[in-house]
Amino acid sequence: MANGTYLNRVADAELDDRLSRIGAVLIEGAKGCGKTETAMQHCASSVCLDIDESARVTAQIAPGNVLDGPVPRLIDEWQLVPQLWNEMRRAVDARREPGQFIFTGSATPADDVTRHTGAGRVSRLRMRTLTLWESGMSTGQVSLSGLLAGNQATGASSLNLDDVIEETCHGGWPGDRRLSWKQAQANVGDYCGEIANAEVRAVDGVRRDSARVLMVMQSLARHTASQARLTTIASDTGSPVPSDTTSSYLKALERLMVVEPLPSWSPVLRSRARIRTAAKHHFVDPAMSASLLNAGLDELRRDLKTFGFLFESLVLRDLRVYAGACSATASHYLDSTGLEVDIVIDGGYGRWGAVEVKLGNAPDVIDQAADNLKRFAGRVDAQTVGAPNFLAVVTATGYAYTRPDGVSVVPLGVLCP
């Protein structure tokens, strides 16, 4: 919400599509990313278990009663009463009609009840914070779907570097859009503190040292967009924390959906290079990294190297949302020769593209990034994987165009689904 007005989300069309073909949709995402407001635009009735104590008690005693109501029926924060999952599955089977339920949740239940199959009954929809296009800051002149279709890039971003830094510090939480970046960043700081103090414990009931959780989060912020080892994160806490303990903290943050790993893309290669399979870790919104690093506009203006990593995280956030609308996924690539590509978009059926993220758009910077992308494309076995549909350098500012060698240059401020 912004000043009481709903901001249209990429997820709106995805949710409508899924409700038209399957019995239930599970919308997952970090707290505050807009799941409930989006679900409210599409439901006929609702119950919010986090604020309705009587409904929560009823759900524990007679879960079927909570599911009764005009459909689609929204059950908000369903994970507070995990037994609702199996009750919902049975209701979908009995009714045999699409569009019965919308479940929303900001954490994976402690016993992971969703492991009981939802195949043919439930479709999962991941929501993240607002992209630049959803918040009205992108012109939308270049679509990811168009790039996957082989279209040329053309357009111009209206954003300057200060705008992009400010947006990174501000964050994409819908409830903060009316606030200044300083106010929004203060809210993000409170959010991070609440995660460390209470949310990590609530996710699975395990007691954890809140100060150490916060140090782990700060380490993740320092290593944004890198393949930091568990031992590195553990050592950053200032004491010899066993890596299995650090892994437990990290998994809890992932279950809260505030940290999201970026997996490695593993295509068939023409060379003998070995693919490095470790995931990179990103916060759901780069404003969390900025807050945990105590970095505002002035600090990031002075330290563009650090901001470059946060900008990569900003680009990834937006591309993950746009990729979801294209039935595609995002990953990264690194092999034993040191060849690395920031983001690979895989749409399946031989549709894929590769992205290098560069803060600047000077000709030598773009040339180097383009050469890296072409070298990577030449290493992939096109007979097995298919030739790339696009190679693109995503920048912070400037113009969108396609170079004579076919590599597109695309400012983040012109991208859309």
Side-chain angles (χ1 to χ4, degrees):
M1 301 286 285
N3 297 322
T5 302
Y6 177 71
L7 293 171
N8 291 328
R9 307 298 299 271
V10 172
D12 286 316
E14 294 181 74
L15 181 53
D16 276 338
D17 171 68
R18 297 176 195 218
L19 287 171
S20 72
R21 57 181 171 80
I22 202 162
V25 178
L26 171 59
I27 306 178
E28 299 178 301
K31 281 190 175 180
C33 71
K35 302 181 301 297
T36 302
E37 289 299 332
T38 292
M40 285 290 188
Q41 310 305 309
H42 301 263
C43 72
S45 64
S46 64
V47 59
C48 299
L49 295 178
D50 58 336
I51 60 176
D52 190 337
E53 184 177 356
S54 63
R56 194 161 60 246
V57 171
T58 300
Q60 293 167 345
I61 299 171
N65 291 353
V66 175
L67 299 181
D68 287 339
V71 298
R73 173 83 162 158
L74 167 61
I75 310 297
D76 191 36
E77 299 295 347
W78 75 274
Q79 78 278 357
L80 296 175
V81 188
Q83 56 264 44
L84 281 169
W85 180 262
N86 286 335
E87 195 70 25
M88 174 269 291
R89 291 193 309 124
R90 286 190 285 269
V92 168
D93 286 344
R95 299 179 187 184
R96 298 185 180 182
E97 293 287 342
Q100 297 300 299
F101 302 108
I102 305 172
F103 274 32
T104 66
S106 52
T108 304
D111 60 354
D112 194 14
V113 295
T114 62
R115 69 178 180 272
H116 299 297
T117 181
R121 305 177 181 95
V122 185
S123 179
R124 293 172 182 262
L125 175 57
R126 186 68 172 258
M127 281 192 69
R128 299 175 177 87
T129 55
L130 289 164
T131 64
L132 296 192
W133 186 68
E134 290 169 317
S135 60
M137 300 186 68
S138 169
T139 63
Q141 293 166 294
V142 179
S143 69
L144 182 60
S145 59
L147 290 174
L148 280 170
N151 294 349
Q152 299 284 298
T154 181
S157 174
S158 61
L159 305 178
N160 59 37
L161 184 58
D162 279 354
D163 295 329
V164 178
I165 295 175
E166 181 172 336
E167 178 61 22
T168 302
C169 293
H170 189 288
W173 279 272
D176 290 347
R177 293 313 302 175
R178 61 183 175 80
L179 304 180
S180 69
W181 75 265
K182 287 186 177 181
Q183 292 173 314
Q185 193 174 62
N187 281 350
V188 174
D190 292 342
Y191 183 79
C192 292
E194 185 63 19
I195 289 168
N197 291 323
E199 296 291 338
V200 166
R201 181 182 302 177
V203 74
D204 56 10
V206 176
R207 295 183 64 85
R208 296 182 174 91
D209 184 337
S210 60
R212 201 166 301 285
V213 172
L214 189 59
M215 285 190 286
V216 168
M217 293 173 67
Q218 290 169 335
S219 176
L220 289 171
R222 284 193 291 274
H223 298 291
T224 292
S226 70
Q227 291 179 306
R229 295 178 179 273
L230 288 176
T231 52
T232 301
I233 297 171
S235 67
D236 280 353
T237 65
S239 63
V241 179
S243 60
D244 57 346
T245 301
T246 304
S247 177
S248 171
Y249 287 10
L250 186 56
K251 287 178 181 177
L253 294 169
E254 290 176 13
R255 290 177 69 168
L256 288 168
M257 301 178 220
V258 295
V259 170
E260 190 172 1
L262 180 67
S264 171
W265 196 55
S266 299
V268 177
L269 300 180
R270 299 175 61 190
S271 71
R272 294 183 179 180
R274 296 184 304 278
I275 297 171
R276 306 302 191 192
T277 58
K280 293 183 178 181
H281 287 87
H282 293 259
F283 284 101
V284 67
D285 193 289
M288 293 182 67
S289 292
S291 175
L292 288 160
L293 294 173
N294 293 317
L297 263 64
D298 290 341
E299 290 77 13
L300 292 176
R301 285 193 193 107
R302 290 194 296 266
D303 186 358
L304 292 181
K305 181 178 179 180
T306 294
F307 180 63
F309 292 112
L310 300 191
F311 177 64
E312 183 178 333
S313 194
L314 180 72
V315 172
L316 175 63
R317 181 201 65 186
D318 284 15
L319 285 181
R320 273 178 154 156
V321 175
Y322 304 156
C326 303
S327 300
T329 59
S331 53
H332 76 96
Y333 178 88
L334 175 64
D335 65 31
S336 56
T337 71
L339 180 61
E340 183 173 10
V341 171
D342 294 326
I343 304 170
V344 178
I345 302 297
D346 189 346
Y349 308 103
R351 297 183 309 140
W352 66 277
V355 173
E356 280 284 84
V357 179
K358 295 297 179 184
L359 192 58
N361 55 14
D364 59 328
V365 172
I366 301 301
D367 286 344
Q368 183 180 17
D371 289 344
N372 193 68
L373 289 168
K374 289 183 290 185
R375 188 163 62 252
F376 166 62
R379 190 163 294 184
V380 173
D381 185 351
Q383 289 187 337
T384 304
V385 181
N389 294 73
F390 74 90
L391 301 173
V393 183
V394 174
T395 62
T397 61
Y399 294 90
Y401 59 93
T402 300
R403 293 161 41 109
D405 60 6
V407 176
S408 295
V409 179
V410 186
L412 184 60
V414 304
L415 272 170
C416 72

